[in-house]
Amino acid sequence: MTMPGSSAPAEAIPLLARLRALPGASYWGAVGLVLASLGLRLLFAPILANGYGFLLFYPAVILSAYWLGGRPALLATALSAAMVCAFGPTPLSFLDDGRALLSLAFFLISSILLVHVLSSIRERFSDLAASHARVEALATGQAELFREHAQRTTDHLQLISAILQMRAYGEEDPMAAQVLNNAASRTLLISRTHRAFTGDETRTVEFEAFGRRLADVVARRGGLDADRVVFGASGVAVPVEQATALGLVLLEYLTTLTACEPQPRLLVLLEARENGRVLSLIASGAAGIPAPRDMALIEAMTEQLGGTLKVSRGPTGCDLRLAFPAALQPPPRWEPLNFSLH
């Protein structure tokens, strides 16, 4: 993306680089600059003496050195001197004029110095640009690596929080349940802080595209064939945190169905209903299709989403429906433990 007013320079620089890459383009560019200066020299010839004709050729030398390089600039210097000799008010007459010869000598010496200085500056700028490009590429790579690491850490923390919260509900000891609930709350808070730090806090994911990619990865790793997984084109997008939870549910069921013979078909559909969402995983086409093996994980994700889970099994199918609110649920309430010392 380019800001308004900055597109022209951004396009001019690559264009100049492409022109310089053409065979002999730098030298022809120097010739063109000299001819442009000659045009100005002829235009102002009535008011310029022989010795001052060189002034209008300095821009050609300077621009050739800065844009095209040292050798094209030397060519521009030689051509400029020849043009002044050939197209002066009286061609070659300045050879009998000492002041004109001094001007010619000064032009040649100063032009050579300008070419040397500007070529050196141009070379340093090129080295600096190359170094900056390498540093920028390294920094970008490190940033992407850090972002990926932070995203994976966030997903693991979210999973741990859900499992802790589920264990807290099943714990008979009130103090142990409170400890697990506090741990779940803190872990989910850290997970959301990670998402905010990596810029994913408000980002949404279209679940259909996300699920298709997940199914392809599972198929490449020996799971259910991707062509047996059908996605409903609902176009529903969910926050990244919810997408992670739903992805874990889908991954668990895809892994479960791998053991079925023959392989069943799975319909995956995420629907938007008022203020909520409903994920339907409908497996059919085989006898004795089981429910997800790791129901503890499914229940943990359901608990974290603040939803309800319903699993219906039939002779040749299994229907899993997970309904949850569209908004992210707050972390579990955190209550410090109270100890009585006697």
Side-chain angles (χ1 to χ4, degrees):
M1 181 179 296
T2 58
M3 297 298 292
S6 63
S7 59
E11 295 173 358
I13 293 176
L15 178 60
L16 187 61
R18 288 196 296 269
L19 291 176
R20 283 201 300 261
L22 297 175
S26 298
Y27 295 96
W28 285 112
V31 172
L33 290 172
V34 173
L35 292 177
S37 298
L38 176 62
L40 293 176
R41 173 69 177 85
L42 296 177
L43 179 64
F44 294 105
I47 60 174
L48 290 176
N50 279 349
Y52 295 98
F54 295 105
L55 292 176
L56 298 177
F57 287 90
Y58 276 113
V61 175
I62 293 173
L63 294 178
S64 296
Y66 186 75
W67 284 348
L68 307 174
R71 292 183 179 180
L74 291 176
L75 174 62
T77 301
L79 282 178
S80 297
M83 292 300 172
V84 173
C85 295
F87 294 96
T90 305
L92 303 179
S93 63
F94 73 99
L95 294 177
D96 298 328
D97 186 350
R99 296 177 61 183
L101 289 175
L102 181 61
S103 297
L104 173 61
F106 179 79
F107 172 76
L108 292 174
I109 294 173
S110 60
S111 295
I112 292 174
L113 290 176
L114 283 172
V115 170
H116 174 71
V117 172
L118 292 177
S119 298
S120 300
I121 293 175
R122 183 173 179 270
E123 184 178 355
R124 297 296 182 272
F125 278 160
S126 297
D127 293 341
L128 182 61
S131 299
H132 180 268
R134 289 194 296 269
V135 172
E136 186 177 11
L138 179 61
T140 302
Q142 293 293 333
E144 289 298 326
L145 180 63
F146 175 77
R147 181 185 180 86
E148 181 180 357
H149 172 74
Q151 182 63 52
R152 292 186 179 184
T153 301
T154 300
D155 294 342
H156 285 300
L157 289 174
Q158 181 180 343
L159 175 60
I160 292 172
S161 173
I163 294 175
L164 290 172
Q165 187 175 357
M166 185 198 65
R167 295 298 183 190
Y169 283 106
E171 182 61 49
E172 297 180 358
D173 185 353
M175 183 171 292
Q178 190 173 347
V179 170
L180 290 172
N181 198 63
N182 289 347
S185 177
R186 293 172 177 176
T187 305
L188 185 58
L189 183 62
I190 293 173
S191 173
R192 290 184 176 177
T193 303
H194 264 271
R195 289 200 193 281
F197 185 73
T198 56
D200 287 337
E201 186 179 27
T202 59
R203 188 166 66 91
T204 59
V205 175
E206 187 177 351
F207 183 74
E208 179 188 349
F210 171 69
R212 289 182 186 277
R213 185 169 182 179
L214 182 61
D216 290 338
V217 173
V218 172
R220 288 198 298 269
R221 299 195 176 201
L224 188 66
D225 290 341
D227 57 1
R228 303 194 67 80
V229 183
V230 180
F231 288 85
S234 61
V236 177
V238 293
V240 176
E241 183 174 310
Q242 290 183 345
T244 301
L246 298 177
L248 287 170
V249 173
L250 176 58
L251 178 61
E252 176 58 31
Y253 204 28
L254 288 173
T255 306
T256 299
L257 296 178
T258 303
C260 296
E261 289 292 343
Q263 286 193 340
R265 299 186 68 85
L266 178 65
L267 172 62
V268 182
L269 179 62
L270 180 63
E271 302 174 279
R273 296 183 180 177
E274 295 183 359
N275 295 326
R277 305 285 187 265
V278 177
L279 174 66
S280 300
L281 302 179
I282 305 173
S284 59
I289 296 178
R293 289 179 300 187
D294 194 349
M295 285 303 300
L297 174 63
I298 304 295
E299 292 172 358
M301 293 297 101
T302 303
E303 190 69 39
Q304 188 176 77
L305 291 170
T308 57
L309 177 66
K310 181 180 178 180
V311 180
S312 303
R313 294 187 59 194
T316 58
C318 183
D319 185 358
L320 184 150
R321 295 184 184 274
L322 172 58
F324 58 95
L328 293 177
Q329 299 302 294
R333 182 177 177 81
W334 173 45
E335 296 179 359
L337 295 175
N338 294 322
F339 294 94
S340 298
L341 299 178
H342 301 283

